[in-house]
Amino acid sequence: MYFNQDQVISNVLNYNYFDDQNDINSSFNIAYGIDKNFLFGCAISISSILLNNKNQKFQFHIFTDYLDDDFKAKFKALAQQYQTSISIYLVNCQELKKLPSTKNWSYATYFRFIIADILYPTIDRLLYIDADIICKGSLEELINLDIDEYVAAAVTEGESPWWQKCAQRLAIDNLILGYFNAGFLYINIKKWQEDDVSGKAMTLLAQESIRSKLAYLDQDLLNMIIVGQVYFLDKRYNRQYSINYELKAAKGTYYPNPIDDATIFIHYIGPTKPWHTWAAAYPCANYFIEAKRHSPWQNDPLLVAMNANQWRYCAKHQFHQRKPMAGLLSYFKYYWYKIFK
């Protein structure tokens, strides 16, 4: 175990509304690691799981470095509404902020290493998912999956040619058999600890020769460390889709997407998220909107752009949606943010 609670957790808030406290032993554990920008997404992701799995008991674990009074009250209300359990862990990020990060991946991407350490040995199985993932199906089959012989179950990213490139870039030959996306990880915490996954990750990050190879930070690290110990799940558990793909469709039409009746989790990759105002016009965002409607956030507005990159995509989508005046205003804000912010 590399991280301990006294080292990285400053406070824990527990909202437990189980009817029967024996439900704790039979519940399925799901965790998120987020910063301020993904709190709204996390809230609706939890709502979507509860909405589509009403006969299953869950314990949710949210690791974050930011929480205001409004989110506290609404997470408590969400737990009460669905008679579930939500625990929020406030993370001290001083050490994590020293680790490599990019415009697209903040220090919060390393929270998954903290999560697997802090929840051990209380929990033996844990589903970690990114906050930009929405559930639209039953988790019964996943909950009953036997991963005793694996460190984790995950879904591959791309196909064989991509895996070969990753194997070459990271100098790990066995990655040609599958490179996974770390936004969805069903973790065998006992084996994670036996293999000291978190400790190995921090050791590798300390080496410049390793850091220079990393294109996807913690995702690359995990693929290197647990290669050959991953159970590969069907892509319906992590169906990736970028809302920006909609810009490729002819005006008045929608881009063909792979979200179908069998899809269990939709992973909204890319800078445009379903909680952005300019995304709501697309059918692919309806799953987020529906879950939001069945949550304490039902009356909260979707989020406007907050930086130059978001204003740029907002403008592109508004022009695509035949809203030229709104698009021009968004482009003005894009240039203003780019120059002055």
Side-chain angles (χ1 to χ4, degrees):
M1 183 184 298
Y2 185 86
F3 296 101
N4 63 72
Q5 184 154 328
D6 292 338
Q7 175 190 13
V8 295
I9 304 298
S10 60
N11 194 20
V12 181
L13 303 175
N14 294 302
Y15 305 126
N16 183 348
Y17 285 93
F18 283 144
D19 276 342
D20 184 344
Q21 291 308 301
N22 290 327
D23 289 335
I24 293 175
N25 297 326
S26 60
S27 60
F28 188 65
N29 289 275
I30 301 178
Y32 297 81
I34 53 173
D35 60 18
K36 180 179 180 179
N37 296 322
F38 283 83
L39 265 173
F40 187 28
C42 173
I44 308 307
S45 178
I46 291 174
S47 301
S48 72
I49 293 169
L50 293 166
L51 181 63
N52 288 283
N53 294 270
K54 293 180 179 178
N55 294 323
Q56 173 63 43
K57 293 298 182 180
F58 295 97
Q59 290 188 70
F60 295 97
H61 308 268
I62 303 170
F63 287 72
T64 182
D65 64 337
Y66 176 86
L67 188 69
D68 61 24
D69 289 340
D70 183 63
F71 272 105
K72 283 182 186 178
K74 286 176 179 170
F75 275 122
K76 181 178 180 180
L78 180 64
Q80 189 170 17
Q81 177 182 346
Y82 286 96
Q83 296 180 311
T84 190
S85 172
I86 299 175
S87 296
I88 303 173
Y89 306 74
L90 291 170
V91 182
N92 179 349
C93 298
Q94 294 308 307
E95 292 302 315
L96 294 181
K97 288 180 179 179
K98 299 175 184 177
L99 299 175
S101 62
T102 70
K103 180 177 69 174
N104 294 323
W105 288 282
S106 75
Y107 55 86
T109 196
Y110 299 108
F111 282 2
R112 70 201 75 199
F113 295 112
I114 292 175
I115 292 169
D117 281 3
I118 298 303
L119 296 181
Y120 176 80
T122 306
I123 296 168
D124 60 355
R125 297 287 185 276
L126 174 76
L127 176 62
Y128 170 89
I129 57 175
D130 284 348
D132 53 4
I133 290 179
I134 290 292
C135 179
K136 64 173 291 291
S138 170
L139 300 190
E140 182 178 1
E141 187 176 333
L142 180 69
I143 292 169
N144 292 323
L145 180 68
D146 182 1
I147 58 168
D148 284 350
E149 302 304 316
Y150 301 90
V151 173
V155 176
T156 55
E157 175 117 7
E159 303 297 339
S160 181
W162 170 250
W163 307 341
Q164 293 175 20
K165 291 180 181 179
C166 292
Q168 184 176 16
R169 174 171 56 85
L170 298 173
I172 304 290
D173 291 342
N174 283 346
L175 286 180
I176 63 172
L177 302 176
Y179 175 97
F180 62 85
N181 177 272
F184 172 102
L185 284 175
Y186 184 27
I187 302 171
N188 179 343
I189 293 185
K190 181 180 179 182
K191 283 192 68 65
W192 179 288
Q193 296 300 332
E194 289 173 352
D195 287 11
D196 189 26
V197 174
S198 299
K200 288 177 180 177
M202 297 303 111
T203 298
L204 289 173
L205 275 173
Q207 302 174 35
E208 176 57 34
S209 60
I210 298 297
R211 290 202 304 269
S212 64
K213 298 177 181 179
L214 302 178
Y216 302 99
L217 302 183
D218 61 304
Q219 180 168 286
D220 280 346
L221 287 172
L222 284 167
N223 272 275
M224 296 170 69
I225 294 167
I226 64 174
V227 61
Q229 301 183 77
V230 180
Y231 181 95
F232 290 116
L233 292 160
D234 187 88
K235 288 184 183 292
R236 63 196 172 104
Y237 283 102
N238 187 357
R239 185 69 72 186
Q240 297 187 41
Y241 187 74
S242 172
I243 296 175
N244 285 343
Y245 294 162
E246 298 289 349
L247 296 172
K248 301 177 182 179
K251 290 184 179 180
T253 67
Y254 301 113
Y255 188 81
N257 68 63
I259 304 168
D260 55 22
D261 290 343
T263 299
I264 295 173
F265 283 113
I266 310 161
H267 191 171
Y268 294 96
I269 60 174
T272 295
K273 303 300 183 186
W275 54 81
H276 288 138
T277 55
W278 59 95
Y282 303 113
C284 63
N286 288 345
Y287 306 100
F288 178 91
I289 301 299
E290 180 66 8
K292 176 178 176 293
R293 192 169 68 85
H294 288 84
S295 80
W297 288 264
Q298 59 182 311
N299 295 321
D300 285 33
L302 297 176
L303 303 187
V304 299
M306 297 298 293
N307 56 49
N309 191 48
Q310 290 181 359
W311 279 117
R312 181 167 66 94
Y313 277 111
C314 179
K316 287 177 178 287
H317 282 279
Q318 286 168 333
F319 276 109
H320 183 74
Q321 296 162 12
R322 299 177 178 175
K323 301 173 183 177
M325 295 306 296
L328 285 172
L329 179 59
S330 294
Y331 263 125
F332 173 81
K333 292 182 178 180
Y334 158 64
Y335 285 111
W336 189 87
Y337 269 80
K338 189 175 177 65
I339 294 169
F340 296 107
K341 291 286 187 177

